């Protein structure tokens, strides 16, 4: 199979096999479409049903955060980039140019929310952390936030 | 109106209000579900709100916010909330948040 190489992926011998980029406006009606599109793309990496459900849920959390927090009271652009690497590694980047997060460490704590009156439970980052193998958050107040989710799919065909 | 799995169903008999959640609970659907449940609660003032989550294929943290919000509303009205037959997807979220300790869950088993 011809490999498709992009930038920083030579690290640890990782090769990008496939990639999609999606841009969408921060309308709540797009939440279902965004997670379904990412899941549909990931199917080629042969995830289990549970792994696919994990990915859907984590993506839903990150995209919803862009809609309800980053672009609160406005509509902005959300960028999704999904990469499938060799060795069953999936990398999903969710990027906004919204309000940013002052204190990322605090934001990631379970039950922490800045929107209690909107009936948010403050569990979004906890869900992402539980359903993925890696969650990286980089944010600059006033500039925006990038959440990078990493999921390592189990190889169900080679004996371990 | 044709009722589909994708839609919420609400039934009130005596002082029990039964709600069947739609198959996907995210932020987008939760806004509408919350409005419909709260309108019905205000109109009927039930003693028991029973939320049937057996048909929930997808739920994210918005579903937790929805359940927590209804729980506090029912407490304010001196009523109770029962989560009925949560699907694996719903139960997984409830457990992750430790909510099984504060919400009454009804199952067959
Ligand atoms: N993309 C973002 N832009 C700006 N702020 C964000 C973003 N994502 C998260 N936050 C901040 O981090 C906090 C915690 O996020 P988290 O998703 O864990 O909980 P929540 O969204 O408040 O509630 P829930 O996800 O349970 O509905 C949010 O309340 C918000 O202040
Ligand atoms: Mg959130």
């Amino acid at each position: 199979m011809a490999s498709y190489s992009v930038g920083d992926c030579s690290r640890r011998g990782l090769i990008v096999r496939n990639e999609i980029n999606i841009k969408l406006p921060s309308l709540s009606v797009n939440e279902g479409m965004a997670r379904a599109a990412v899941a549909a793309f990931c199917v080629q990496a042969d995830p289990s049903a549970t792994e696919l459900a994990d990915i859907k849920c984590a993506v839903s959390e990150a995209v919803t955060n862009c809609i309800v927090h980053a672009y609160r009271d406005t509509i902005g652009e959300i960028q999704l980039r999904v990469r499938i690497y060799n060795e069953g590694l999936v990398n999903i980047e969710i990027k906004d140019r919204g309000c940013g997060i002052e204190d990322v460490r605090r934001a990631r704590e379970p039950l922490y929310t800045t929107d209690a009156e909107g009936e948010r439970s403050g569990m979004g980052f906890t869900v992402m952390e539980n359903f993925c193998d890696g969650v990286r958050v980089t944010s600059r107040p006033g500039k925006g936030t990038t959440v990078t989710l990493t999921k390592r799919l189990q190889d169900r065909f080679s004996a371990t | 109106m044709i009722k589909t799995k994708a839609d919420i169903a609400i039934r009130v008999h005596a002082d029990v209000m039964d709600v069947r959640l739609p198959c996907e609970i995210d932020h987008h659907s939760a806004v509408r579900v919350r409005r419909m449940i709260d309108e019905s609660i205000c109109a009927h003032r039930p003693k028991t709100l029973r939320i049937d989550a057996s048909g929930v294929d997808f739920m994210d943290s918005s579903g937790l916010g929805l359940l927590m919000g209804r729980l506090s509303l029912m407490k304010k009205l001196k009523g109770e909330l029962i989560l009925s037959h949560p699907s694996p997807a719903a139960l997984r979220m409830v457990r992750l948040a430790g909510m099984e300790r504060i919400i009454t869950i009804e199952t067959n088993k």
Side-chain angles (χ1 to χ4, degrees):
Chain A
M1 180 182 167
S3 67
Y4 156 81
S5 280
V6 186
D8 61 0
C9 60
S10 56
R11 192 167 49 100
R12 286 178 293 151
L14 289 177
I15 299 161
V16 179
R17 296 290 193 201
N18 202 353
E19 172 179 319
I20 51 162
N21 287 276
I22 305 171
K23 286 183 188 175
L24 52 140
S26 59
L27 303 167
S28 70
V29 70
N30 287 332
E31 290 160 7
M33 188 282 304
R35 62 177 179 266
V38 172
F41 180 72
C42 288
V43 163
Q44 65 194 278
D46 196 28
S48 68
T50 310
E51 287 167 338
L52 207 54
D54 292 350
I55 290 170
K56 267 188 165 176
C57 203
V59 168
S60 192
E61 295 296 349
V63 169
T64 301
N65 280 349
C66 300
I67 294 168
V68 300
H69 303 300
Y71 297 121
R72 188 191 185 98
D73 305 324
T74 62
I75 301 297
E77 186 178 86
I78 303 170
Q79 288 181 34
L80 295 175
R81 189 196 69 193
V82 190
R83 283 176 169 178
I84 294 171
Y85 293 85
N86 57 330
E87 296 172 10
L89 198 73
V90 176
N91 187 279
I92 305 160
E93 197 180 271
I94 302 99
K95 188 174 179 176
D96 67 68
R97 293 181 197 285
C99 67
I101 302 173
E102 289 289 346
D103 185 344
V104 170
R105 195 197 299 217
R106 189 145 178 241
R108 291 177 71 144
E109 282 171 14
L111 304 176
Y112 176 82
T113 182
T114 51
D115 186 26
E117 73 272 26
E119 292 200 344
R120 315 239 51 97
S121 65
M123 290 297 290
F125 279 124
T126 307
V127 168
M128 291 183 245
E129 283 164 8
N130 272 272
F131 291 8
C132 296
D133 298 296
V135 179
R136 201 178 66 208
V137 183
T138 54
S139 190
R140 276 176 67 197
K143 295 279 183 212
T145 303
T146 301
V147 173
T148 311
L149 308 171
T150 309
K151 183 84 177 164
R152 199 173 288 281
L153 306 178
Q154 296 303 312
D155 185 348
R156 285 169 292 136
F157 295 102
S158 71
T160 45
Chain B
M1 203 177 98
I2 300 164
K3 290 278 179 214
T4 64
K5 223 182 136 210
D7 209 358
I8 178 178
I10 299 181
R11 232 179 24 201
V12 185
H13 34 81
D15 48 14
V16 178
M17 183 173 138
D18 275 301
V19 175
R20 198 197 58 210
L21 293 181
C23 56
E24 299 225 323
I25 299 287
D26 61 7
H27 157 251
H28 183 70
S29 71
V31 171
R32 181 164 168 275
V33 166
R34 172 174 67 183
R35 202 191 56 228
M36 291 183 69
I37 293 177
D38 288 2
E39 277 173 10
S40 193
I41 288 177
C42 286
H44 302 286
R45 299 279 168 155
K47 288 238 163 54
T48 301
L49 170 63
R50 189 189 287 126
I51 297 183
D52 175 354
S54 62
V56 175
D57 302 330
F58 177 86
M59 179 167 150
D60 66 16
S61 65
S62 303
L64 297 175
L66 179 77
L67 291 175
M68 294 296 279
R70 304 297 80 38
L71 178 65
S72 60
L73 182 58
M74 288 311 291
K75 273 189 178 161
K76 237 181 259 170
L77 299 172
K78 308 258 182 284
E80 56 164 358
L81 170 72
I82 296 171
L83 181 63
S84 168
H85 301 93
S87 66
L91 198 56
R92 195 176 180 203
M93 293 303 297
V94 166
R95 290 221 172 106
L96 186 61
M99 270 175 65
E100 76 274 27
R101 283 177 272 131
I102 52 169
I103 278 188
T104 310
I105 301 178
E106 186 181 84
T107 50
N108 278 338
K109 282 175 278 172

